[in-house]
Amino acid sequence: MAAAQSPGRGLRRFDEHAAKATKLVDEFCGLETGMAPSNALAALKRAAPYMGVPLRVVSVIDLLFAWTKQQDWQGGQIPVVWPSNDLLAQKLGVTVRQVQKLLNQAQAFGLISFRDSPNGHRGGRRGADGFITWGYGIVLAPIGTRLQEFAARAATGAAEDAALTVLRKRLAAARRNIRALAQTAFDADLHDLKAGDDLALALMATDQMRCVRDAGLLTACVEQIEERARRLAEAVSAKIAVPNMVSDQEDCSCWDGPEDIHSTTTNQLQSAKADTSSGLADKSSENGDALPSQPQTAVDDDLEKHGVDPEFMMSIAPELCSGLLHRDGSWGEVVATAERLAGQSGISNHAFKEACRIMGQRGAAASVIATIQKYRRGEVQRPGAYLRGMSSKADKGELNLGRTLHGLKDTSRAVAMRGMSDGTDATPIGSLMSRLVSRGAGLR
């Protein structure tokens, strides 16, 4: 007798997945009373993400349920459908070969089984009562058999999602905390703390843990990042607390006038029409251009040499100094405006005080306005660090603030001229307001 070399060639292969699916079909006893096929499908959809079932496989199962009826899921019946692969491919928008692969995947996940006819074709017939009299094709009974398993897996997965969401929020909060602390360290030139390393680790951990569903691994990562945030906070606090310690009798503003009040610019928000916290607006209106007494600095001499006055500062940054149009336009108002802008732009109070101590109040105010103007143009990345660099140069006698301010004025003029040449309106709103106020004053 001749032995067949390929006895099952061209037929459906019976493997461990097929054996498991057949066993699930044999265990099917019908759905519970009052439960519709749609409930079984919904249970599968809820559990699929936690069981690793691809969405494309779920889409195939969803389509197959369109050919089932309520009576197919009763006890003693077997829910079987017989659409052709060509019809499934047309409705799914894929090729026949892709349909075959998706059906094999569904069987591997234990969701369907196959009942083949003697000739290998799918087909069936329903009686007058709607029940299937005979049918060959795709059997959906395994879904009904595993209904309780799907419900339990969906509940467990939802609980895991809730726990993972809490952990990811904690990780995000720790990352934001480290970012804020790192910015403080950069602005204060605290490079010895190596805050950049902590920030890089926090960003990397956030990226690596984005799709992790291992609660133990994620918990360990979150605790490590939170611990690093706590240590960095303690280190930064210890560094910046020393220069900011003052007694109750000392003035916390950047000048040492006996009548100055404590500055609240960085502690209390003010409206656009409110007076600044240092009281400079009131002093300038009463005493003209007078500022609290302070020795003349080299930067002050440089400003006078280059003819830098409050009106000159308004021409450099009209948007920033627009509030001076409705006041007396004195240096006191410029200093008060610069102090307010520094707090709004992330420049620490300590950096502004140091600038006042080294460059004088006028030099510090002009430096702050120049720094913020460059920051708005994208030329400066960290205003606080840039201002500290200017203070360091001024302390060494290397700062040429007057030439810098004239350069900014030339740049503003060039931008305006370029806008006129190409037909666009490049005039800043602050300049327009200045012209309108000046025109109104001339009409009086």
Side-chain angles (χ1 to χ4, degrees):
M1 178 182 295
Q5 299 298 322
S6 302
R9 186 175 183 179
L11 301 178
R12 191 185 308 280
R13 180 169 298 180
F14 189 85
D15 54 12
E16 65 273 15
H17 301 306
K20 179 182 177 181
T22 301
K23 182 180 179 180
L24 291 173
V25 173
D26 295 338
E27 295 175 355
F28 179 69
C29 300
L31 297 180
E32 297 179 1
T33 304
M35 181 173 292
S38 58
N39 300 128
L41 178 61
L44 170 62
K45 289 182 177 180
R46 287 193 296 267
Y50 309 113
M51 298 176 62
V53 180
L55 181 60
R56 59 183 180 272
V57 174
V58 177
S59 300
V60 173
I61 300 298
D62 192 0
L63 179 60
L64 293 175
F65 264 73
W67 283 281
T68 63
K69 295 183 180 298
Q70 177 73 31
Q71 56 268 28
D72 299 342
W73 297 84
Q74 296 179 5
Q77 300 293 319
I78 297 295
V80 58
V81 295
W82 48 88
S84 65
N85 287 345
D86 291 331
L87 180 59
L88 292 175
Q90 177 185 354
K91 290 185 176 295
L92 292 173
V94 297
T95 64
V96 173
R97 182 55 183 160
Q98 288 176 314
V99 169
Q100 293 173 345
K101 291 182 178 180
L102 291 175
L103 292 176
N104 289 334
Q105 279 187 295
Q107 184 185 50
F109 280 105
L111 303 178
I112 64 173
S113 180
F114 295 99
R115 175 184 287 181
D116 295 327
S117 66
N119 60 6
H121 295 164
R122 296 175 191 164
R125 181 178 180 278
R126 291 185 181 273
D129 54 359
F131 285 91
I132 298 176
T133 57
W134 62 270
Y136 296 98
I138 304 170
V139 182
L140 302 175
I143 297 177
T145 304
R146 303 178 62 187
L147 189 57
Q148 299 299 327
E149 177 188 349
F150 293 155
R153 190 65 188 89
T156 303
E160 292 175 356
D161 283 346
L164 293 175
T165 298
V166 173
L167 290 173
R168 289 195 173 94
K169 287 183 178 180
R170 287 174 54 186
L171 180 59
R175 181 200 65 209
R176 289 194 298 268
N177 190 18
I178 290 178
R179 288 184 61 185
L181 292 170
Q183 185 64 55
T184 301
F186 293 155
D187 290 343
D189 295 332
L190 304 177
H191 304 297
D192 57 320
L193 298 182
K194 297 182 178 180
D197 295 342
D198 292 327
L199 178 58
L201 180 61
L203 294 176
M204 181 180 65
T206 302
D207 183 66
Q208 294 293 329
M209 296 293 110
R210 194 176 306 277
C211 298
V212 171
R213 291 191 58 82
D214 187 341
L217 179 61
L218 185 57
T219 300
C221 178
V222 170
E223 291 177 351
Q224 181 181 2
I225 299 302
E226 288 178 340
E227 178 64 19
R228 283 185 170 267
R230 184 186 64 80
R231 292 181 181 179
L232 182 59
E234 292 177 355
V236 172
S237 299
K239 289 286 187 178
I240 66 177
V242 176
N244 289 337
M245 291 177 59
V246 293
S247 62
D248 294 339
Q249 291 79 16
E250 293 178 343
D251 185 12
C252 66
S253 61
C254 61
W255 41 83
D256 297 326
E259 298 180 357
D260 291 337
I261 61 174
H262 288 274
S263 173
T264 58
T265 303
T266 57
N267 299 328
Q268 181 178 356
L269 296 176
Q270 298 282 348
S271 64
K273 297 182 180 180
D275 290 336
T276 54
S277 59
S278 60
L280 289 176
D282 295 336
K283 294 180 181 297
S284 63
S285 62
E286 295 174 0
N287 304 326
D289 194 37
L291 286 171
S293 60
Q294 190 179 24
Q296 186 85 355
T297 65
V299 177
D300 290 331
D301 296 337
D302 185 61
L303 294 179
E304 293 179 359
K305 174 183 175 181
H306 288 86
V308 177
D309 55 12
E311 184 177 355
F312 186 92
M313 296 304 302
M314 291 176 61
S315 66
I316 292 177
E319 300 92 340
L320 300 177
C321 302
S322 59
L324 301 178
L325 299 174
H326 308 288
R327 298 181 181 272
D328 55 10
S330 65
W331 269 113
E333 293 294 346
V334 175
V335 174
T337 299
E339 183 184 13
R340 174 178 57 82
L341 293 173
Q344 294 175 350
S345 303
I347 300 176
S348 66
N349 191 29
H350 180 262
F352 185 65
K353 287 181 180 180
E354 283 296 300
C356 290
R357 182 182 65 82
I358 296 173
M359 294 184 280
Q361 298 157 18
R362 300 178 185 179
S367 299
V368 167
I369 293 175
T371 298
I372 297 176
Q373 185 71 353
K374 287 188 175 184
Y375 175 70
R376 287 161 57 91
R377 293 178 180 177
E379 301 174 9
V380 173
Q381 298 297 327
R382 302 196 304 272
Y386 191 84
L387 180 62
R388 289 183 183 275
M390 296 180 70
S391 299
S392 178
K393 286 187 176 181
D395 196 23
K396 299 175 184 177
E398 301 175 356
L399 181 65
N400 298 312
L401 184 57
R403 289 194 301 178
T404 300
L405 296 175
H406 276 277
L408 287 175
K409 184 176 181 180
D410 293 340
T411 302
S412 300
R413 185 179 304 167
V415 171
M417 294 298 294
R418 186 164 55 252
M420 293 176 61
S421 63
D422 59 16
T424 60
D425 185 9
T427 305
I429 186 62
S431 299
L432 294 177
M433 294 177 60
S434 178
R435 296 175 187 174
L436 291 175
V437 171
S438 300
R439 185 182 304 173
L443 295 176
R444 294 176 182 174

